[in-house]
């Protein structure tokens, strides 16, 4: 409505943001009726509402009729402006669309093609890497097969080499291939254990040929190499007197045989050192403990000790065989002396799966160099046995095991007990001579590895205390 036109309608109330239709209707009904009337008269407020609506409609019609030209003119100008904006927007949209199409053609499509090429190149590279790893595994497998044939004595004869060159006679010198086979097995083990993408052996477990190679050849070959090395240590002997106790091993009788026996033991020890399982968390040689080597050497010591204990216990009840039993016991100790000498002169070999404790670029301090020179394969065994000498451990272990057996013989009484009591002075002398005789090792066995023969005997250490311990364990229970 035009400003200044009279109107009884309260437009301000209707335009109030807080206007409530229900409150307005309630006010209208209560103003046209008494609160006590029943029923209420709703026709009057309804007529008023309809009249107000008609009045508002009349005002709207009058207002639009009076301002029709100005409204049409304003609408026309707004429509023209909208058309102009739409036209300009269409031009800009077309330009943007054209630019996007050109960008897609020149960049996006080329990028998609390049990305496909990248994926193909990466797949090709992975395939090449896997193929190279497979080829290297097969090469190492072939190399291990040749080494196993050399160890088992099933290799080619010396005159049947493919290049005409002669090869070592199989079987006799097959032990020399044990260490080479151990390194080959470690290389295969390193490739099989790769779990990080980018490492040389990653993904080999997906290749059936490699799974077959590992399960049907590498693992049995590794077990065979371990078994041969363990047998070499368990059958080690440099004393001809121990032939009666070790019939399966050939007794060395001379400089060459002693040298070969030492070489066999050294090779077997290095092989077991390399093939011992890596403990979790061990990344350097200082943290590495060759459990397989230690268990084999401890088994050798235990066998020698228990064999001597059982033989001496039997000889105590049959004194006529005591001299031969003491000779055999002394011979086993001489083998242990030779074992200690060999292990003492073997430095731990470099392990392919372990990092060195010192770098090659920086010289190590003199103290570290001296300590590393003293470290050998004997030290872990001495630490495992908690002793400072293998012969001392041998005699003291025999003494501790014999004491209760002698006491048992004495407690049972009878002929054996009386015989022992009557010959205790003789036993005292013979046992002491047995221990001291064990310290007189043949120079051949000690000098074989140094490249020169020896015919005399060499006294190793002072074993008076061990002799006293042995005498006390046997004669001490017999009384005076």
């Amino acid at each position: 409505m035009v400003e200044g036109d009279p109107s009884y309608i309260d437009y301000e109330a209707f335009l109030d943001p807080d206007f409530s239709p229900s409150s307005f209707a309630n006010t209208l009904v209560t103003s046209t009726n008494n609160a006590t009337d029943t029923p209420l008269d709703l026709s009057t407020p309804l007529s008023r509402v309809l009249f107000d609506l008609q009045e508002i409609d009349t005002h709207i019609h009058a207002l639009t009729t009076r301002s029709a030209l100005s409204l049409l003119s304003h609408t026309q100008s707004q429509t023209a402006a909208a058309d102009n904006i739409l036209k300009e927007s269409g031009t800009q949209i077309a330009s943007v669309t054209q630019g996007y199409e050109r960008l897609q053609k020149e960049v996006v499509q080329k990028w998609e093609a390049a990305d496909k090429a990248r994926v193909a190149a990466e797949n090709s590279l992975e395939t090449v890497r896997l193929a190279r790893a497979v080829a290297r595994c097969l090469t190492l497998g072939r190399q291990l097969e040749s080494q196993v044939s050399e160890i088992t004595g099933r290799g080619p004869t010396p005159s049947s080499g493919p290049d005409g060159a002669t090869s070592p006679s199989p079987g006799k010198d097959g032990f020399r291939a044990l260490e080479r086979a151990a390194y080959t097995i470690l290389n295969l083990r390193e490739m099989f254990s790769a779990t990080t993408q980018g490492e040389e052996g990653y993904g080999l477990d997906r290749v059936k040929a490699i799974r077959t190679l590992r399960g049907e050849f590498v693992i049995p070959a590794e077990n065979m190499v371990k078994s041969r090395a363990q047998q070499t240590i368990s059958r080690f002997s440099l004393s001809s007197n121990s032939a009666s106790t070790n019939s399966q091993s050939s007794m060395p009788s001379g400089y060459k045989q002693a040298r070969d026996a030492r070489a066999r033991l050294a090779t077997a020890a290095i092989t077991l050192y390399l093939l011992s399982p890596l403990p979790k968390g061990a990344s350097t040689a200082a943290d590495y403990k060759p459990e397989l080597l230690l268990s084999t050497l401890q088994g050798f010591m235990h066998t020698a000790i228990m064999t001597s204990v059982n033989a001496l216990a039997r000889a105590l009840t049959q004194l006529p065989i005591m001299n031969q039993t003491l000779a055999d016991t002394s011979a086993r100790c001489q083998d242990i002396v030779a074992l200690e000498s060999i292990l003492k002169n073997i430095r731990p070999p470099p392990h392919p799966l372990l990092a060195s404790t010192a770098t090659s670029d920086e010289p190590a301090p003199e103290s570290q160099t001296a300590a590393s020179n003293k470290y050998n394969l004997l030290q872990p065994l001495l630490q495992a046995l908690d002793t400072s000498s293998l012969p001392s451990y041998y005699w003291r272990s025999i003494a501790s095991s014999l004491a209760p057996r002698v006491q048992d013989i004495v407690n049972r009484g009878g002929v054996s007990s009386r015989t022992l009591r009557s010959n205790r002075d003789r036993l005292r002398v013979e046992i002491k001579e047995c221990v001291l005789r064990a310290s007189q090792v043949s120079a051949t066995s000690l000098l074989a590895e140094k490249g020169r023969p020896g015919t005399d005997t060499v006294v190793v250490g002072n074993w008076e205390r061990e002799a006293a311990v042995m005498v006390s364990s046997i004669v001490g229970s017999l009384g005076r």
Side-chain angles (χ1 to χ4, degrees):
M1 86 182 211
V2 181
E3 186 178 355
D5 289 347
S7 176
Y8 69 91
I9 298 176
D10 187 5
Y11 289 101
E12 297 297 333
F14 288 108
L15 297 176
D16 188 0
D18 296 331
F19 173 76
S20 174
S22 58
S23 299
F24 176 76
N26 183 57
T27 302
L28 186 60
V29 171
T30 55
S31 62
T32 56
N33 290 275
N34 293 325
T36 58
D37 291 345
T38 352
L40 296 176
D41 182 14
L42 298 179
S43 59
T44 301
L46 180 60
S47 299
R48 182 172 175 179
V49 170
L50 293 176
F51 182 79
D52 291 345
L53 290 176
Q54 185 177 4
E55 182 68 18
I56 293 172
D57 182 66
T58 302
H59 280 292
I60 292 175
H61 180 72
L63 183 60
T64 53
T65 301
R66 192 181 307 133
S67 305
L69 293 178
S70 59
L71 290 174
L72 290 175
S73 176
H74 177 73
T75 302
Q76 185 177 7
S77 63
Q78 293 293 323
T79 302
D83 291 340
N84 188 25
I85 293 174
L86 182 60
K87 182 179 180 181
E88 292 297 329
S89 299
T91 304
Q92 296 297 327
I93 292 173
S95 177
V96 172
T97 302
Q98 185 178 4
Y100 174 77
E101 292 176 352
R102 183 175 67 255
L103 180 65
Q104 184 179 24
K105 181 179 180 181
E106 296 180 357
V107 178
V108 176
Q109 293 180 356
K110 292 182 179 180
W111 178 85
E112 292 177 350
D115 188 62
K116 292 180 180 178
R118 178 188 62 81
V119 173
E122 289 180 352
N123 293 337
S124 299
L125 180 61
E126 290 297 326
T127 303
V128 171
R129 287 178 178 174
L130 185 59
R132 288 179 178 176
V134 170
R136 184 162 185 261
C137 278
L138 294 178
T139 302
L140 291 173
R142 178 65 67 179
Q143 178 178 326
L144 181 60
E145 181 183 20
S146 175
Q147 293 163 349
V148 168
S149 299
E150 185 178 348
I151 294 171
T152 57
R154 300 176 183 175
T157 58
S159 60
S160 61
D163 54 354
T166 59
S167 59
S169 59
K172 183 178 179 180
D173 295 332
F175 73 94
R176 304 182 187 277
L178 285 175
E179 185 176 349
R180 289 183 277 116
Y183 276 108
T184 303
I185 291 170
L186 288 181
N187 291 331
L188 286 167
R189 187 186 294 178
E190 182 179 14
M191 297 193 68
F192 292 151
S193 62
T195 57
T196 304
Q197 189 171 7
E199 294 182 354
E200 184 180 8
Y202 180 75
L204 283 175
D205 54 336
R206 296 176 294 175
V207 182
K208 183 178 180 181
I210 299 302
R211 294 198 302 269
T212 303
L213 173 69
R214 182 180 184 183
E216 297 184 6
F217 176 69
V218 176
I219 294 178
E222 180 178 355
N223 293 334
M224 187 276 295
V225 171
K226 292 179 181 178
S227 176
R228 286 299 178 93
Q230 290 173 328
Q231 288 178 8
T232 301
I233 292 179
S234 63
R235 297 177 180 179
F236 170 74
S237 177
L238 292 179
S239 174
S240 59
N241 292 331
S242 60
S244 61
T245 61
N246 197 353
S247 59
Q248 293 182 350
S249 60
S250 58
M251 292 299 104
S253 58
Y255 163 71
K256 184 178 183 301
Q257 289 78 4
R259 184 186 61 186
D260 290 343
R262 296 178 70 94
R264 289 176 182 273
L265 179 66
T267 302
I270 292 175
T271 300
L272 294 179
Y273 175 89
L274 293 172
L275 294 182
S276 296
L278 290 178
K280 293 183 179 180
S283 58
T284 62
D287 302 329
Y288 179 57
K289 291 185 179 180
E291 296 294 340
L292 186 59
L293 173 61
L294 294 179
S295 63
T296 304
L297 293 174
Q298 288 176 314
F300 175 83
M301 293 293 298
H302 178 74
T303 300
I305 292 169
M306 295 310 301
T307 301
S308 298
V309 168
N310 294 332
L312 288 172
R314 184 170 59 254
L316 289 174
T317 60
Q318 303 175 20
L319 286 184
I321 65 173
M322 178 60 75
N323 288 334
Q324 181 61 39
T325 302
L326 290 176
D328 292 341
T329 304
S330 177
R332 292 189 192 94
C333 183
Q334 292 177 349
D335 292 337
I336 291 176
V337 172
L339 173 69
E340 185 178 55
S341 174
I342 296 172
L343 295 177
K344 187 176 181 179
N345 289 280
I346 300 178
R347 292 283 305 278
H351 201 293
L353 304 183
L354 295 174
S356 177
T357 55
T359 60
S360 58
D361 297 334
E362 300 179 359
E366 294 183 0
S367 59
Q368 293 182 2
T369 303
S372 63
N373 289 335
K374 292 181 180 179
Y375 186 73
N376 47 55
L377 293 187
L378 177 63
Q379 296 302 320
L381 179 59
L382 295 179
Q383 294 176 2
L385 297 177
D386 192 18
T387 184
S388 59
S389 170
L390 293 185
S392 176
Y393 179 82
Y394 173 76
W395 289 120
R396 291 177 183 274
S397 298
I398 292 177
S400 63
S401 299
L402 272 181
R405 298 199 181 193
V406 175
Q407 188 65 44
D408 184 61
I409 295 175
V410 173
N411 293 337
R412 287 202 307 264
V415 178
S416 298
S417 176
R418 291 193 299 271
T419 304
L420 287 178
R421 291 179 184 275
S422 62
N423 290 274
R424 59 177 175 269
D425 294 334
R426 170 196 163 193
L427 287 175
R428 180 182 293 108
V429 174
E430 291 181 350
I431 293 170
K432 182 176 181 179
E433 290 179 352
C434 170
V435 177
L436 297 180
R437 183 170 61 249
S439 66
Q440 299 175 0
V441 183
S442 170
T444 298
S445 63
L446 293 179
L447 301 178
E449 68 171 346
K450 298 182 179 180
R452 62 180 187 271
T455 56
D456 299 330
T457 58
V458 179
V459 178
V460 181
N462 183 6
W463 295 353
E464 292 289 343
R465 183 175 300 178
E466 282 70 22
V469 171
M470 282 292 297
V471 170
S472 175
S473 67
I474 297 178
V475 181
S477 302
L478 299 180
R480 296 183 178 273

